[in-house]
Amino acid sequence: GGAQLPGCGIRLTGGGRDAALTATDDRGRFRLYAVLHADERLYFSLTEPGLVLVDPDPARRRPFRAHRQRFAPGADVELVAVPSAVVGGRIRMANGETPHGLAIGIEVGGAGGWGPKVQVEVVADGLFELSGFAAFDEPFWLVVDDLRGSARMGPLRFGKARKLQDVDVLVVAPTEVRGRVTDDDNQPVAGAWVTLTSPDLRGRSVNRATCTLSDSGGRYVLRGARPGSYRLSAALGDRATWTSDVFELAPSKGIERNPRLTK
């Protein structure tokens, strides 16, 4: 039901092949040739930075990603182009350092488990602008990950607007979780798999897990977790998995947890 878009560049990727490029004709139609394998998924994206593709069915539309689905050979494909959303603001470092060069990731956390990321480099004075994704009324988080610190803003929503400006993000020093894994006899357990997860966020990429192995003395250190709520778990072979209660990680502060594994 929308207007046809002539002269739009279409990029096809998938299956490890080189990208195939074409353009729409004066009726907004395009044709691409590709060798397909069984159950292979393809990605369609626009070369124009101000437009992004979404599924024509509103119930299946997902933000932050090129249109992707399975296609039968010779099938007609209907794609809908919508204006790109924009998120902009300023990054501030809690320790006063210049934030130039930070990678900014914007991720969706929700019941649907959609969690792709768009990255952009911060310019001078900490200013950043993200684009190249669709604006839907779904909650999302602005996540900053860097060796010097991290931050998480959200949940944020676009509402009826396509732009979200003046987002102020404060990047704090990484937090740290450390401790010692022991057994029933209080002896150190080496090689235990220790995992830190956050129940705050839902989604494939947003709900990240930070993992490590305990050393010969049962000691472990997990660094770089963002402030927020977490659970810690530990396991080794057929021993019962130990899981902590939910605890809070404060900015720039560490915490100690000592898992005890029982047979």
Side-chain angles (χ1 to χ4, degrees), residues 11 41 88 103 157 178 228 241 256:
R11 180 186 293 109
R41 294 200 176 195
R157 289 180 180 271
R178 62 170 60 242
T241 298
E256 182 174 330

Side-chain angles (χ1 to χ4, degrees), residues 2-260:
Q4 297 171 350
L5 294 177
C8 279
I10 301 289
R11 180 186 293 109
L12 171 68
T13 56
R17 66 168 59 87
D18 294 334
L21 297 174
T22 190
T24 57
D25 61 19
D26 56 359
R27 294 186 299 165
R29 298 185 62 84
F30 66 91
R31 185 181 297 272
L32 278 166
Y33 298 93
V35 178
L36 298 180
H37 302 284
D39 294 328
E40 184 174 353
R41 294 200 176 195
L42 302 177
Y43 296 83
F44 288 92
S45 59
L46 289 175
T47 59
E48 284 75 6
L51 295 172
V52 293
L53 294 175
V54 297
D55 196 291
D57 182 357
R60 297 193 313 217
R61 291 180 181 177
R62 297 289 185 272
F64 301 90
R65 192 145 190 186
H67 182 74
R68 173 187 181 185
Q69 69 179 65
R70 291 188 177 93
F71 300 99
D76 286 335
V77 179
E78 182 183 359
L79 303 174
V80 177
V82 298
S84 172
V86 176
V87 177
R90 184 183 300 273
I91 300 293
R92 296 183 296 113
M93 303 293 291
N95 59 7
E97 291 183 8
T98 302
H100 176 76
L102 284 178
I104 306 304
I106 198 165
E107 298 177 286
V108 174
W114 192 259
K117 173 188 287 188
V118 179
Q119 290 188 330
V120 68
E121 185 174 328
V122 178
V123 299
D125 299 325
L127 297 176
F128 72 93
E129 186 172 277
L130 294 167
S131 61
F133 46 87
F136 294 104
D137 192 23
E138 298 182 26
F140 65 90
W141 287 260
L142 182 64
V143 178
V144 178
D145 282 311
D146 183 74
L147 294 177
R148 294 166 292 181
S150 58
R152 183 183 63 204
M153 295 289 296
L156 304 173
R157 289 180 180 271
F158 282 108
K160 296 181 179 179
R162 288 192 302 106
K163 292 186 178 181
L164 187 62
Q165 304 284 19
D166 301 322
V167 178
D168 186 25
V169 182
L170 179 64
V171 177
V172 299
T175 56
E176 181 178 285
V177 180
R178 62 170 60 242
R180 184 169 177 260
V181 183
T182 59
D183 59 18
D184 286 334
D185 300 322
N186 203 33
Q187 296 300 305
V189 177
W193 192 248
V194 184
T195 305
L196 185 68
T197 56
S198 172
D200 278 353
L201 306 178
R202 300 291 182 265
R204 186 172 52 203
S205 299
V206 177
N207 189 6
R208 297 175 179 174
T210 303
C211 308
T212 191
L213 292 172
S214 59
D215 64 16
S216 59
R219 294 178 293 272
Y220 73 91
V221 180
L222 291 165
R223 296 186 176 93
R226 300 182 289 270
S229 301
Y230 290 89
R231 280 192 176 93
L232 187 74
S233 62
L236 178 67
D238 58 355
R239 300 191 184 189
T241 298
W242 177 92
T243 303
S244 73
D245 294 331
V246 176
F247 57 89
E248 296 294 322
L249 283 180
S252 306
K253 293 184 179 180
I255 194 170
E256 182 174 330
R257 287 292 184 272
N258 298 307
R260 173 162 292 186

